[in-house]
Amino acid sequence: MSWVETLNRPRGSKRYRAVVRVHGRKVSKSFETKKRAEEWITKTQREVDLGIWAPESDTTFAEWVETYQERREESKRETTKQRDAGALRKWWLPHLGTLRLTAITAKDVRKVVGLMKREGLSPKTIRTYVGVLRAVLNAAIEEELLRKSPLRGVELPKDQRVKEIRFLTVDELERLASAIKPEYRATIDLAGRLGLRFGEIAGLRPCDVDFDAGVVSVVQNLTDVDGKLFLGPPKTEAGTRIIRVGPSTMARLAEHAERFPGEAFFVERPDGRPLIRRTFMRWAFRPAVERAGLEGLTFHHLRHTAVGFMIEDDAHPRAIQQRVGHSSSRVTMDVYGKYLSTADERLANRLDERFG
């Protein structure tokens, strides 16, 4: 069985993908014209019939990336697609694009990793970008275009920095809320009291805040990627959640809704446009941090603060995981384990006092 697929390209141009089923699996290759695609099908089928067919070994990295993106991108979140495409376009295609897949070596990969280091990319970013390459090469191995990955033996930089987890006190959190512009005060409450991520706050709609039931529903995330806004589900499946909110916090949110009613989103810019992280940090959050005397504070520290309040109240890791939308309680323990151990110690002491 064989067929030719038409691939629509930017600006109305077309490419044609020839597909042949060989030994129960699909083999394909893209061409500029339909005629060349049909000729390739005829040639491939003849080789199969004669028993001399073998996977093509002259496929270049650029050609395979094109095929890979056409096949594998559907299931990815839009922000992940943009990130992966950017990594391939900026780093891997310029240096590996013309090489045959079978000719790429660990030395070639190490060279690109070295360039990333010299450009000042963080170890985490480098590992992410190498992960994009790994996925592309593993897919080529699955298609029998490649016998083994050239990534074997490539050492990646380790992040030697100790990640700082900063918790604010209630007074510090209130000082920050008072220092930020009134129309953005709800972002401090949503992050510092409830533990929402910035994208979750930016994507929160008025209908997601139920004042009668006293709950906030987190169902979507607004993300800015290279100047383009993408609205989609939260970062993980567990990120979709319903958070019960206490009366005092709900009263603060109700006050915001009354003073600054948003049309599309619960918190909006004065001109009605959605919050964009980079501009919000520059014009609203960082000036407020400076006015509040909390130098070095990041927006993510507010999420840590919300967890810190839960730990102080001896909340179970499972309850923390569900409220902040971690993918598993293991993630919660990895990030906050040493702080949760002190909460467990306090709980043990209180239980022991019952028998004292």
Side-chain angles (χ1 to χ4, degrees):
M1 181 184 296
S2 62
W3 64 92
V4 176
E5 299 174 349
T6 303
L7 306 174
N8 291 322
R9 309 284 293 168
R11 300 179 183 176
S13 61
K14 293 181 179 180
R15 278 183 69 86
Y16 299 87
R17 181 166 63 210
V19 184
V20 180
R21 190 173 291 278
V22 181
H23 306 318
R25 68 182 183 88
K26 295 178 183 177
V27 178
S28 65
K29 189 173 182 179
S30 297
F31 296 90
E32 292 289 342
T33 66
K34 187 175 181 179
K35 182 179 179 181
R36 289 186 61 191
E38 291 171 339
E39 289 173 347
W40 181 84
I41 287 177
T42 301
K43 173 178 174 290
T44 302
Q45 288 180 326
R46 181 174 179 275
E47 291 176 349
V48 171
D49 293 340
L50 293 172
I52 61 173
W53 178 86
E56 293 190 35
S57 60
D58 61 345
T59 303
T60 67
F61 179 74
E63 289 172 341
W64 172 241
V65 165
E66 181 180 15
T67 302
Y68 170 84
Q69 290 178 321
E70 290 167 356
R71 294 181 184 176
R72 302 296 182 103
E73 297 293 287
E74 293 83 0
S75 60
K76 292 183 179 180
R77 296 174 68 220
E78 193 61 40
T79 52
T80 304
K81 291 182 188 178
Q82 294 293 322
R83 181 204 66 192
D84 292 358
L88 290 166
R89 182 174 60 252
K90 183 173 181 179
W91 294 104
W92 300 117
L93 286 171
H95 301 285
L96 307 180
T98 59
L99 298 178
R100 288 181 293 109
L101 281 171
T102 53
I104 298 173
T105 65
K107 181 179 179 181
D108 296 321
V109 178
R110 283 194 289 266
K111 181 179 178 181
V112 180
V113 170
L115 291 173
M116 292 181 183
K117 290 179 182 178
R118 288 194 288 276
E119 284 289 323
L121 271 63
S122 70
K124 179 180 178 181
T125 299
I126 292 175
R127 291 197 299 272
T128 298
Y129 288 176
V130 172
V132 173
L133 176 64
R134 180 178 289 108
V136 173
L137 295 176
N138 285 346
I141 292 173
E142 291 175 8
E143 293 293 324
E144 298 183 8
L145 297 174
L146 194 61
R147 290 185 59 190
K148 64 178 182 178
S149 173
L151 285 173
R152 295 178 183 178
V154 176
E155 293 187 7
L156 301 179
K158 296 180 180 180
D159 197 344
Q160 302 295 337
R161 298 174 300 171
V162 177
K163 292 185 178 179
E164 176 193 5
I165 295 183
R166 182 174 177 179
F167 302 103
L168 297 185
T169 64
V170 172
D171 289 342
E172 288 173 330
L173 189 64
E174 286 301 294
R175 198 160 76 234
L176 180 63
S178 299
I180 203 166
K181 295 177 180 179
E183 61 266 30
Y184 300 131
R185 194 163 294 162
T187 64
I188 307 303
D189 294 332
L190 290 166
R193 294 187 177 203
L194 304 185
L196 269 66
R197 302 174 177 92
F198 181 83
E200 295 169 346
I201 296 172
L204 194 70
R205 301 166 299 181
C207 63
D208 295 329
V209 183
D210 190 331
F211 298 105
D212 294 330
V215 298
V216 170
S217 299
V218 182
V219 297
Q220 61 182 17
N221 188 79
L222 184 68
T223 311
D224 173 42
V225 181
D226 294 333
K228 297 180 181 179
L229 294 180
F230 296 98
L231 190 63
K235 185 177 180 180
T236 64
E237 185 176 343
T240 301
R241 60 201 187 276
I242 298 176
I243 305 173
R244 185 160 295 281
V245 183
S248 65
T249 300
M250 190 56 83
R252 297 263 289 239
L253 298 179
E255 179 186 357
H256 169 84
E258 184 177 351
R259 291 186 61 189
F260 310 102
E263 293 186 10
F265 300 103
F266 186 74
V267 183
E268 296 178 338
R269 293 165 57 177
D271 58 8
R273 288 188 288 175
L275 297 182
I276 298 176
R277 185 183 184 95
R278 65 181 185 279
T279 55
F280 173 82
M281 297 304 164
R282 184 185 306 131
W283 302 114
F285 184 73
R286 289 176 190 145
V289 167
E290 187 175 344
R291 286 192 292 270
L294 299 170
E295 285 74 13
L297 185 77
T298 68
F299 195 85
H300 201 71
H301 286 145
L302 301 183
R303 181 168 159 86
H304 290 323
T305 294
V307 175
F309 293 148
M310 297 180 216
I311 292 173
E312 287 180 357
D313 290 335
D314 298 335
H316 191 277
R318 180 71 174 175
I320 296 174
Q321 173 215 336
Q322 292 173 342
R323 285 186 70 86
V324 300
H326 282 158
S327 57
S328 69
S329 55
R330 180 177 179 178
V331 175
T332 307
M333 292 300 298
D334 286 345
V335 179
Y336 302 105
K338 67 178 181 180
Y339 305 100
L340 286 163
S341 64
T342 61
D344 187 55
E345 184 179 347
R346 290 196 303 271
L347 177 60
N349 291 335
R350 284 204 304 273
L351 289 172
D352 193 61
E353 288 173 3
R354 291 178 180 270
F355 307 101

